[in-house]
């Protein structure tokens, strides 16, 4: 097994990870950041933005031949539907994906050399998304790349996905270290979970096992990613995908990327995503309690298969209240539930709306079959949300279910800028009363058929008294009530 001195490797890494200064993107007016007037949301290029999305894959850059029509067509379809938000894992586990490292003629990888096609794909993707004003939420480590292969015993869509047995960091697959040198296993026979595992790849950081040999290659990979991304203004960062590993792992890497960005004169925003589907649990609270490091929160696991209906909303509202002293964006870059199950097709659509009406900063449909991706239903719901946003100032509205009476569980959800505008989402047909007793003037009441992207009925109402609202149809409906005169 070929060996390199650590000093020589570090010098070599510096050659491969050097990058141009971040230059023009240092301008914080242009970069994505929490909205100055309401830090529960994002702003980009100086304007507040509600982040909405859906896509066929989570690592779109590694699928340049995406069918039908290719990657650019997929991005255009997202934008045409009202989307401006994508998830990007640096994953390489799907059939046809490339790994970031160069593969030699003997079939092994050299962790000191890069696969240029992988990185060219990545840079092209960053260019295409910036041109379209699509915000990218980037995840560095995806545990599903590093554990047991996802074939046996899993659902059909995962057949052929590869895990640790194929990964370049596996000692059997590279020329840079063996098992004895690295203390890394060659086989992992379990999947990632909600609790820490014995997988030593995730123990390398100084506050854990301090495995300097492995850590230098991990650092080189992160440096390489940042050598591209710090030059772009439209990227926010997440350390892991749904990790259950020790929080010390995430702490190390978030400090690492913040320090790297600071040296480049770039301010970035980052978080981590825990696996636990109870977003108010202890491991999530660890992140919530560190606004100095975790500058937004990722609540996608609340959109999993075990949380639904009213509970889904209640969990978000509980977290919103907990963050009141240090408000930050609450992001949802995965909403489970689609045509193939995973919590239910209709429930996935409901979760999209509950997230937004509970005051979340982003909502994205998870890729199929775990979610709707960018199918026709997803596109219709994206477009309808933008239709509501044209009439209602989302960024000055608050979740206000307390203004609804006669409401049953999971019947209706309200965002209100009291006295000015009200938006009410009905997952199904329903009837509630809206308290307008403190609102003066005349209001226009409009109904939106969400799945048809169509404003249906309109009428007028007077403030100062309760307003009865009955859905004019079945399925997903929304009422928008706008003050017309004082």
């Amino acid at each position: 097994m070929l060996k390199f001195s650590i000093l020589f490797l570090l010098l070599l890494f510096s050659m491969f990870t050097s990058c141009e200064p971040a230059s023009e993107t240092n301008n914080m007016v242009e970069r994505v950041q929490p909205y100055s007037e309401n830090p529960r949301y994002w702003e980009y290029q100086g304007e507040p933005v509600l982040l909405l999305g859906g896509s066929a894959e989570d690592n779109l850059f590694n699928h340049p031949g995406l069918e039908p029509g290719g990657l650019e067509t997929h991005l255009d379809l997202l934008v045409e539907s009202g989307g401006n938000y994508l998830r990007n894992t640096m994953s390489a586990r799907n059939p046809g994906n490339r790994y970031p490292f160069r593969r030699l003629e003997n079939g092994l990888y050299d962790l000191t050399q890069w696969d240029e096609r992988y990185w060219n794909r990545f840079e092209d993707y960053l260019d295409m998304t910036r041109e379209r004003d699509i915000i990218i939420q980037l995840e560095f480590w995806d545990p599903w790349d590093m554990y047991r292969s996802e074939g046996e015993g899993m659902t059909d869509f995962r057949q052929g996905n590869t895990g640790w047995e194929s990964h370049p960091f596996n000692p059997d697959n590279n020329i840079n270290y063996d098992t004895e040198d690295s203390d890394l296993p060659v086989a992992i026979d379990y999947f990632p979970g909600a609790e820490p595992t014995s997988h030593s790849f995730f123990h390398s950081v100084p506050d854990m096992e301090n495995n300097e040999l492995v850590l230098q290659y991990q650092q080189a990979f992160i440096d390489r990613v940042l050598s591209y991304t710090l030059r772009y203004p439209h990227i926010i960062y997440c350390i892991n995908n749904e990790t259950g590993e020790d929080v010390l792992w995430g702490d190390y890497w978030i400090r690492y990327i913040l320090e790297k960005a600071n040296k480049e004169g770039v301010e970035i925003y980052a978080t981590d995503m825990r696996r636990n589907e109870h977003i108010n649990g202890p491991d999530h609270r660890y992140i919530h309690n560190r606004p100095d490091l975790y500058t937004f929160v990722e609540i996608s696991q609340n959109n999993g298969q075990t949380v639904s209906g009213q509970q889904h909303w209640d969990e978000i509202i509980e977290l919103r209240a907990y963050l009141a002293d240090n408000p930050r964006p609450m992001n949802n870059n995965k909403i489970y539930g689609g045509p193939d199950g995973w919590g239910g097709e209709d429930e996935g659509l409901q979760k999209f709306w509950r997230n937004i009406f509970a005051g979340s900063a982003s909502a994205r449909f998870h890729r199929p079959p775990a979610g709707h991706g960018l199918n026709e239903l997803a596109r219709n719901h994206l477009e309808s949300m933008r239709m509501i946003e044209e009439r209602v100032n989302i960024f000055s509205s608050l979740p206000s279910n307390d203004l609804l009476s006669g409401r049953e569980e999971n019947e209706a959800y309200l965002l209100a800028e009291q006295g000015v505008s009200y938006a009410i989402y009905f997952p199904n047909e329903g009837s509630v009363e809206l308290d307008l007793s403190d609102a003066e003037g005349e209001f226009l009441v409009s109904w939106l058929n969400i799945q048809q992207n169509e404003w249906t009925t309109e009428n007028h109402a007077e403030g100062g008294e309760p307003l009865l609202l009955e859905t004019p149809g079945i399925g997903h409906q929304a009422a928008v009530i706008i003050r017309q005169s004082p």
Side-chain angles (χ1 to χ4, degrees):
M1 179 71 68
L2 185 61
K3 303 294 194 298
F4 295 88
S5 72
I6 291 179
L7 177 62
F8 177 74
L9 284 171
L10 291 174
L11 290 172
L12 192 56
F13 286 149
S14 68
M15 295 171 56
F16 283 108
T17 59
S18 62
C19 63
E20 300 175 3
S23 62
E24 33 118 6
T25 62
N26 292 352
N27 185 346
M28 280 306 297
V29 173
E30 181 184 9
R31 299 186 73 88
V32 60
Q33 58 190 297
Y35 180 34
S36 58
E37 296 184 21
N38 184 353
R40 293 185 185 274
Y41 293 95
W42 296 100
E43 70 175 63
Y44 182 56
Q45 297 179 337
E47 298 293 333
V49 287
L50 178 64
L51 303 184
L52 306 178
S55 60
E57 299 289 350
D58 297 328
N59 56 340
L60 283 171
F61 80 97
N62 223 338
H63 294 267
L66 190 72
E67 295 295 337
L71 176 54
E72 288 191 81
T73 298
H74 198 64
L75 297 179
D76 288 339
L77 184 61
L78 172 66
V79 173
E80 290 165 7
S81 305
N84 62 348
Y85 175 57
L86 286 171
R87 179 189 188 202
N88 187 81
T89 65
M90 299 306 297
S91 173
R93 72 180 186 272
N94 300 122
N97 286 177
R98 301 187 70 85
Y99 285 107
F101 305 100
R102 183 184 175 191
R103 194 171 192 178
L104 307 177
E105 292 183 0
N106 63 5
L108 299 178
Y109 292 93
D110 183 351
L111 302 183
T112 69
Q113 300 187 60
W114 304 113
D115 180 281
E116 292 304 325
R117 289 177 63 187
Y118 175 97
W119 296 104
N120 288 341
R121 287 180 179 182
F122 184 52
E123 187 170 31
D124 288 345
Y125 175 68
L126 296 180
D127 286 335
M128 286 188 282
T129 50
R130 183 181 182 183
E131 289 167 3
R132 292 163 174 81
D133 291 330
I134 298 172
I135 303 302
I136 299 299
Q137 184 168 318
L138 182 144
E139 295 166 19
F140 293 99
W141 306 112
D142 190 339
W144 290 98
D145 287 36
M146 305 291 186
Y147 289 81
R148 175 182 170 184
S149 179
E150 298 178 68
E152 182 180 354
M154 304 298 282
T155 53
D156 288 342
F157 90 100
R158 286 180 169 172
Q159 299 297 325
N161 287 13
T162 55
W164 182 246
E165 78 282 357
S166 303
H167 203 281
F169 277 113
N170 186 317
D172 271 0
N173 299 332
N174 68 65
I175 65 170
N176 309 97
Y177 51 68
D178 57 25
T179 301
E180 183 176 353
D181 293 334
S182 65
D183 290 325
L184 294 181
V186 297
I188 294 290
D189 62 356
Y190 50 87
F191 297 118
E195 301 293 334
T197 72
S198 61
H199 196 337
S200 52
F201 180 86
F202 296 97
H203 301 173
S204 61
V205 300
D207 287 341
M208 298 179 75
E209 294 179 0
N210 195 26
N211 187 333
E212 294 182 356
L213 176 61
V214 173
L215 184 63
Q216 65 182 320
Y217 295 105
Q218 294 171 332
Q219 291 171 334
F221 171 70
I222 299 295
D223 290 347
R224 182 70 172 184
V225 175
L226 294 175
S227 74
Y228 291 92
T229 61
L230 292 182
R231 292 184 271 133
Y232 291 83
H234 65 299
I235 302 171
I236 53 180
Y237 298 87
C238 187
I239 301 302
N240 296 282
N241 171 36
E242 56 181 45
T243 185
E245 297 297 341
D246 197 298
V247 293
L248 294 175
W249 165 263
D251 273 0
Y252 174 82
W253 289 114
I254 205 162
R255 288 191 177 98
Y256 186 88
I257 66 170
L258 291 174
E259 181 180 348
K260 289 287 182 178
N262 184 59
K263 287 181 179 178
E264 291 295 322
V266 176
E267 186 171 5
I268 63 173
Y269 296 88
T271 194
D272 206 355
M273 185 201 307
R274 301 301 301 177
R275 180 72 182 275
N276 181 4
E277 291 193 0
H278 177 49
I279 59 169
N280 294 290
D283 53 342
H284 290 281
R285 283 287 187 256
Y286 181 86
I287 291 172
H288 304 159
N289 292 336
R290 296 299 307 274
D292 55 323
L293 289 180
Y294 300 96
T295 46
F296 70 98
V297 296
E298 172 51 63
I299 64 173
S300 284
Q301 291 309 104
N302 189 52
N303 302 311
Q305 300 180 70
T306 63
V307 181
S308 62
Q310 185 69 44
Q311 181 189 357
H312 175 255
W313 164 276
D314 291 343
E315 292 268 355
I316 306 173
I317 296 300
E318 179 182 345
L319 176 56
R320 179 185 175 88
Y322 189 83
L323 297 177
D325 291 338
N326 288 287
R328 285 163 276 168
M330 297 185 296
N331 277 18
N332 297 270
N333 75 351
K334 294 184 294 184
I335 298 175
Y336 292 83
D340 296 302
W342 289 75
E345 178 178 32
D346 197 66
E347 177 63 22
L349 300 171
Q350 291 187 32
K351 285 176 176 174
F352 172 82
W353 290 92
R354 284 194 296 263
N355 281 320
I356 298 165
F357 276 58
S360 294
S362 78
R364 172 192 164 271
F365 293 107
H366 200 6
R367 53 100 180 100
H372 283 279
L374 198 56
N375 65 16
E376 183 177 2
L377 274 174
R379 297 196 304 273
N380 288 345
H381 284 249
L382 291 173
E383 184 175 339
S384 282
M385 185 57 232
R386 292 302 184 196
M387 292 171 70
I388 292 175
E389 191 181 5
E390 288 175 357
R391 302 191 178 194
V392 173
N393 187 340
I394 297 294
F395 310 106
S396 58
S397 300
L398 298 173
S400 302
N401 278 1
D402 58 299
L403 296 178
L404 300 178
S405 60
R407 176 189 179 276
E408 297 180 1
E409 185 173 292
N410 196 43
E411 184 178 15
Y413 298 93
L414 172 63
L415 265 179
E417 184 178 3
Q418 279 191 251
V420 178
S421 66
Y422 305 81
I424 306 174
Y425 165 65
F426 292 83
N428 298 290
E429 60 183 322
S431 173
V432 297
E433 281 193 344
L434 171 63
D435 183 3
L436 292 180
S437 58
D438 292 332
E440 298 180 353
E442 184 180 62
F443 289 79
L444 176 66
V445 182
S446 304
W447 284 93
L448 176 66
N449 183 321
I450 289 172
Q451 303 205 143
Q452 298 298 319
N453 309 129
E454 180 183 10
W455 293 106
T456 56
T457 64
E458 287 189 348
N459 53 70
H460 291 82
E462 291 293 330
E465 58 186 13
L467 172 63
L468 177 64
L469 295 163
E470 295 182 290
T471 55
I474 61 174
H476 302 266
Q477 307 280 317
V480 174
I481 300 96
I482 306 292
R483 186 176 65 186
Q484 299 298 289
S485 61

